[in-house]
Amino acid sequence: MADDTIASEKLAVETKTIAGEDIAYALEGEVINASGHRDQLQRGFGFFSICGLALNIDQAWIALGATLIVAICPRWGRIVGFFAGFINFFGWLFDLASIIYVLGELTMQFYALYHPGFEIQQWHIFVTMVCATWICVIATIFCNKFLPYLQDFGLFIVLAGGIISIIVIAAMPDQHASHSFVWTDFENNTGWSKGVAFMTGTLNGAFTIGTPDAVSHLAEELPNPRRDIPRAVAAQIGLGCLYAFIFAMTCFYSITDLDAVLNSNGAFPLAEIYAQATGSTGATFGLLFIIYLALWPCLVGTLLTVSRTWWALARDGATPFSKFFSYVNEDLSCPIPATILTGILTTAFGAIAIGSHTAFSDIVGSFVVLTTVSYALAFLPHLLTGRKNVPRGYFWMGSAGFFVNAYAVINIIMFNVFFCFPYALPTSVATMNYNSVIFVGIVVLIGFWWVVYGIKFYNRPKLALLYDSLAITEGRRLSKV
């Protein structure tokens, strides 16, 4: 029903190029962006601020220390896009909850640093989470025009703070760990074989560099998204990997008592590593404060990503009360209902940690599985249709793209199987890895919503239809030449 309505509008499109970008116009003259909707958000992010947002959300060296579908035939495009969008949203929502939880842990760690007998409780962290969540919500709603500058600041902190941290923990220790401890020793206490232990252990690395789609959710707030988003993703992955590797290496060299790190007070063992490296409470506080400063732009950027994802789903008629959640206050350049809902859901997930930290950890730990599955739901149809249904961008890879997409899909399937393995053997109800259960539960929930609502009301993203329209228009124009 929805497809027929859109199809009838296919020919009502013409194109115009502005600042090197192809912009589509309805014949009535209303500007339509590449998603098939008119612009409602201000394009306030430049290349450096979007790179800042990418690196701030990624924060690879900090994460390490803390430990849309158009490429498929119309018959299946709606349902695949529906599932991909919601799976991606839940993955990002869980990521947001985990990052705010890290901020709560770090805040309490500051106090515990100067009070060695203090025992951190879950409700301490929850109160901090609630405060941080709603500070970010308020900032996102009322200070939207300043957010690019916040990301610029975050970019500086991530880059400069990373360099400072690496230098300090490399230079200050009176003695360093042996080369064998850093490079060759493999201590496996999981009960798995070394190979399985290694594969399941890559989850930390996946969490560290697991946010490549972050900036894509803000495409409508960039003046040149087709060019700048791929560049920002490349900067995020490249710099993130480099910083994370060097930071991990220096951290391991600075450890003198591994048992103290594993059994440190609270759930932020990086504080113990810093303390062993510097031998100073003040220096440890200073290094942790760098992370604290960097986390705030990360939280705001992640909240932007999650809220914009829900808003985009609502705009295409996928969510409950889609008309309400697709509303944008254009003066504030913010989808306020979607932003407030994100704050409410994050607070609710934080409350779970009070009752069961294990349940909370499993929920937020499924972030990697959910987001990567949503990527596979975009890559695989793109492959199966010969990579011919998506318009070519600035960085089209040609025939090499087949290999890259196929390699990505194979790795997503393989690693996600390992990410669902129990963390150690023998396992129990308390130590079981519930990623597979959570993933299936999310899919069942989405499937239920598809049956009762999506089949009839979901419009699907208009990008494919928009480009079909542009192709028809261009073909008719050329036929007249």
Side-chain angles (χ1 to χ4, degrees):
M1 179 182 69
D3 286 346
D4 294 340
T5 301
I6 298 172
S8 67
E9 300 172 357
K10 277 189 175 182
L11 300 181
V13 178
E14 62 183 20
T15 61
K16 185 176 182 180
T17 302
I18 299 176
E21 293 293 314
D22 290 332
I23 305 295
Y25 276 74
L27 289 182
E28 298 83 47
E30 185 179 55
V31 180
I32 300 173
N33 58 39
S35 68
H37 300 276
R38 71 181 183 88
D39 279 342
Q40 292 180 282
L41 302 175
Q42 298 171 8
R43 296 182 181 264
F45 283 86
F47 174 64
F48 286 105
S49 56
I50 203 66
C51 281
L53 184 137
L55 285 165
N56 290 329
I57 292 177
D58 181 34
Q59 294 200 353
W61 63 273
I62 295 174
L64 183 69
T67 243
L68 103 236
I69 193 70
V70 297
I72 194 168
C73 63
R75 181 180 177 183
W76 299 107
R78 288 181 69 232
I79 186 171
V80 174
F82 188 87
F83 274 78
F86 271 110
I87 289 173
N88 186 263
F89 167 76
F90 280 110
W92 271 104
L93 179 64
F94 297 162
D95 180 49
L96 175 61
S98 69
I99 295 170
I100 293 185
Y101 190 83
V102 169
L103 180 70
E105 290 178 327
L106 181 55
T107 303
M108 299 314 302
Q109 198 72 56
F110 283 140
Y111 185 83
L113 194 63
Y114 289 96
H115 300 81
F118 177 70
E119 184 176 351
I120 299 175
Q121 303 292 332
Q122 287 300 321
W123 71 267
H124 297 150
I125 298 174
F126 174 68
V127 170
T128 307
M129 286 182 65
V130 172
C131 294
T133 297
W134 291 98
I135 288 173
C136 291
V137 168
I138 292 170
T140 301
I141 293 175
F142 295 104
C143 304
N144 190 74
K145 66 179 180 181
F146 299 110
L147 297 186
Y149 302 107
L150 177 65
Q151 301 308 318
D152 291 340
F153 169 75
L155 177 62
F156 171 77
I157 293 297
V158 169
L159 297 179
I163 293 173
I164 292 170
S165 299
I166 290 169
I167 292 174
V168 169
I169 61 178
M172 285 193 68
D174 294 328
Q175 70 176 77
H176 293 86
S178 65
H179 295 308
S180 61
F181 174 80
V182 177
W183 299 107
T184 61
D185 291 350
F186 192 93
E187 186 173 342
N188 178 13
N189 299 317
T190 65
W192 292 109
S193 66
K194 288 185 177 181
V196 174
F198 174 82
M199 293 297 288
T200 57
T202 57
L203 179 61
N204 284 351
F207 185 87
T208 300
I209 313 289
T211 55
D213 65 311
V215 294
S216 67
H217 299 284
L218 279 82
E220 294 181 38
E221 297 175 66
L222 272 168
N224 298 297
R226 292 175 58 210
R227 180 186 63 199
D228 289 343
I229 283 181
R231 292 165 66 192
V233 171
Q236 170 189 340
I237 300 299
L239 289 175
C241 287
L242 178 64
Y243 267 69
F245 175 76
I246 297 174
F247 182 73
M249 179 178 63
T250 53
C251 278
F252 281 122
Y253 270 114
S254 68
I255 294 175
T256 57
D257 185 350
L258 182 59
D259 289 334
V261 174
L262 297 176
N263 300 305
S264 59
N265 180 28
F268 205 77
L270 188 60
E272 176 62 27
I273 296 177
Y274 282 169
Q276 292 184 19
T278 64
S280 165
T281 301
T284 300
F285 182 92
L287 291 173
L288 290 176
F289 192 69
I290 292 174
I291 296 178
Y292 185 78
L293 287 178
L295 279 175
W296 283 103
C298 173
L299 291 178
V300 172
T302 308
L303 184 73
L304 277 172
T305 298
V306 177
S307 61
R308 266 41 171 188
T309 303
W310 183 262
W311 166 69
L313 287 168
R315 192 173 54 173
D316 288 321
T319 70
F321 310 106
S322 56
K323 185 175 181 180
F324 173 72
F325 285 116
S326 63
Y327 168 75
V328 173
N329 185 310
E330 298 189 25
D331 292 332
L332 295 175
S333 187
C334 179
I336 294 177
T339 303
I340 292 176
L341 176 68
T342 301
I344 293 172
L345 293 176
T346 305
T347 303
F349 280 119
I352 294 175
I354 298 178
S356 173
H357 183 261
T358 300
F360 176 80
S361 297
D362 285 333
I363 288 173
V364 300
S366 62
F367 151 68
V368 173
V369 173
L370 290 168
T371 53
T372 53
V373 166
S374 74
Y375 305 158
L377 288 176
F379 298 155
L380 186 58
H382 192 35
L383 280 171
L384 296 178
T385 54
R387 288 171 46 85
K388 60 187 179 182
N389 291 339
V390 172
R392 298 183 180 187
Y394 278 86
F395 303 99
W396 182 256
M397 300 182 68
S399 58
F402 286 95
F403 170 78
V404 173
N405 288 154
Y407 183 74
V409 172
I410 291 170
N411 274 276
I412 287 171
I413 295 172
M414 179 181 67
F415 278 97
N416 278 345
V417 170
F418 282 103
F419 293 162
C420 292
F421 278 27
Y423 303 115
L425 294 177
T427 190
S428 66
V429 174
T431 60
M432 178 61 184
N433 182 347
Y434 290 96
N435 277 348
S436 58
V437 178
I438 293 169
F439 173 72
V440 172
I442 292 294
V443 171
V444 170
L445 179 63
I446 298 171
F448 171 78
W449 184 242
W450 169 257
V451 170
V452 302
Y453 179 87
I455 291 177
K456 183 176 182 180
F457 297 106
Y458 175 53
N459 296 321
R460 82 171 170 143
K462 300 177 183 177
L463 178 60
L465 293 173
L466 178 61
Y467 274 101
D468 286 346
S469 300
L470 297 180
I472 293 172
T473 303
E474 180 67 7
R476 291 190 172 184
R477 185 187 67 82
L478 293 176
S479 67
K480 297 177 182 178
V481 175

